[in-house]
Amino acid sequence: MVSSESHWRKRERIREHLLDLVEVTRVGAPIPGERQLCEELEVSRPTLRSVVDDLVRDGLLVREHGRGVFVAKAKVAQHLSQTAGHTLGVGGVDGVWTSRTVDFRSVTAGPRIGRRLQVSPGEQVLRITRLRLVDGVPMSVEKLNVPQSLVPGLTAHDLEVESFYRLLGSRFGILLTDASQIIEPTVVDEAEAELLGVPLHAPALLFERETRDADGRVVEFTHSVYRGDRYRIFTQLSLAARPDNGKVLGGSWSAASTVPGADTLVVDPYWTDKA
């Protein structure tokens, strides 16, 4: 009987081999077939398929029925780093980001949203749901809440052709100064799964953000769900002796670059002057 440790080592050997293949194979190209890989690695098809399934689930490979297994497009990565002198919007986006407004309505804030926006529960807020896409592929579902009095005349179409933050500054004279954001794992619900084109309860990343202006007002509370198979977080840490005693650097979005692991580092145009 094969020990669990031996089985684990076999799976790790297969995984490392496949990861190397992903590294050197262009996006959209097929990896070798099952028979060839099993012969090269001297493993059974069930074991190989199990590891391939893991990499498909992780978004590194794509299985197409009747065609084979292909290298997936690199994940989009958000870079959490503090860049001195930069505002919330810094340039550089890999891929074409677009937005589609799914829902746009005026509602009373209610206790929960009123607390997050620091307004009366009876105050009118705009509750906006947007589908964010990269190169036409659904990436996230964003639910934006903003006091209606701050953005008179804002329309659903506005949010499909211009950055929300750019609109706040250029049209409504709101100077944004800081934001607080939490990130945690989650799974998609039925509505999110339909919009994102993923299975119900697929892994996802939940972002909740409150953004304030120069007067200390909370001008937005946003709840966003990003596809776990297409999005990841890249964080830089300061460990050397510094006046800040070493801490996680956070707050801004980085310019486009390359993340270790062949991922694409992007600036979500929500923060920039891109649509």
Side-chain angles (χ1 to χ4, degrees):
M1 181 175 180
V2 179
S3 69
S4 59
E5 182 177 354
S6 174
H7 182 67
W8 175 83
R9 287 177 177 171
K10 181 182 294 185
R11 287 179 57 87
E12 281 300 295
R13 180 166 57 85
I14 299 170
R15 178 179 173 85
E16 289 301 317
H17 182 80
L18 293 176
L19 289 175
D20 285 342
L21 282 177
V22 170
E23 186 74 19
V24 300
T25 306
R26 65 177 174 82
V27 171
I31 64 171
E34 281 187 359
R35 178 180 297 178
Q36 179 180 337
L37 287 171
C38 287
E39 290 177 356
E40 288 180 4
L41 298 171
E42 299 181 340
V43 297
S44 67
R45 286 197 174 190
T47 302
L48 175 67
R49 286 175 183 170
S50 176
V51 178
V52 169
D53 287 344
D54 289 344
L55 296 184
V56 169
R57 186 194 61 232
D58 292 343
L60 297 174
L61 295 174
V62 176
R63 179 181 279 111
E64 297 187 13
H65 183 68
R67 295 191 62 223
V69 179
F70 301 80
V71 174
K73 188 174 180 180
K75 290 186 179 182
V76 171
Q78 177 189 331
H79 188 176
L80 298 181
S81 65
Q82 181 67 48
T83 306
H86 283 123
T87 60
L88 291 175
V90 293
V93 177
D94 292 340
V96 179
W97 285 74
T98 54
S99 298
R100 178 161 61 86
T101 303
V102 177
D103 190 34
F104 187 100
R105 67 179 70 182
S106 176
V107 298
T108 55
R112 185 178 69 89
I113 299 301
R115 177 177 59 83
R116 302 303 293 262
L117 292 175
Q118 297 179 11
V119 299
S120 164
E123 181 162 339
Q124 292 297 115
V125 301
L126 289 180
R127 183 165 298 167
I128 305 159
T129 301
R130 296 200 296 172
L131 179 64
R132 311 299 308 284
L133 305 100
V134 180
D135 293 334
V137 177
M139 184 61 62
S140 72
V141 176
E142 176 185 277
K143 298 176 182 178
L144 168 66
N145 299 272
V146 56
Q148 189 169 346
S149 60
L150 296 181
V151 289
L154 183 69
T155 69
H157 179 68
D158 290 336
L159 296 173
E160 294 185 342
V161 296
E162 280 202 74
S163 157
F164 174 60
Y165 280 12
R166 182 179 175 85
L167 284 169
L168 288 179
S170 63
R171 184 185 299 183
F172 303 109
I174 296 174
L175 175 63
L176 301 176
T177 56
D178 64 279
S180 56
Q181 179 170 271
I182 64 166
I183 306 167
E184 61 185 53
T186 187
V187 295
V188 298
D189 62 22
E190 186 173 352
E192 293 160 348
E194 182 177 354
L195 287 171
L196 294 172
V198 299
L200 178 65
H201 300 152
L205 289 172
L206 167 64
F207 293 70
E208 287 193 340
R209 179 172 57 247
E210 297 172 8
T211 306
R212 289 165 288 275
D213 67 3
D215 297 323
R217 297 178 300 183
V218 178
V219 299
E220 66 145 352
F221 168 62
T222 298
H223 172 109
S224 301
V225 173
Y226 282 75
R227 290 175 54 168
D229 65 331
R230 298 293 300 124
Y231 206 79
R232 66 166 47 174
I233 305 300
F234 179 69
T235 305
Q236 251 180 319
L237 306 177
S238 169
L239 303 177
R242 294 167 50 124
D244 60 19
N245 294 321
K247 61 183 180 182
V248 175
L249 304 178
S252 69
W253 301 72
S254 80
S257 180
T258 300
V259 173
D263 294 323
T264 302
L265 179 61
V266 306
V267 180
D268 185 333
Y270 184 88
W271 300 84
T272 69
D273 59 1
K274 305 288 184 181

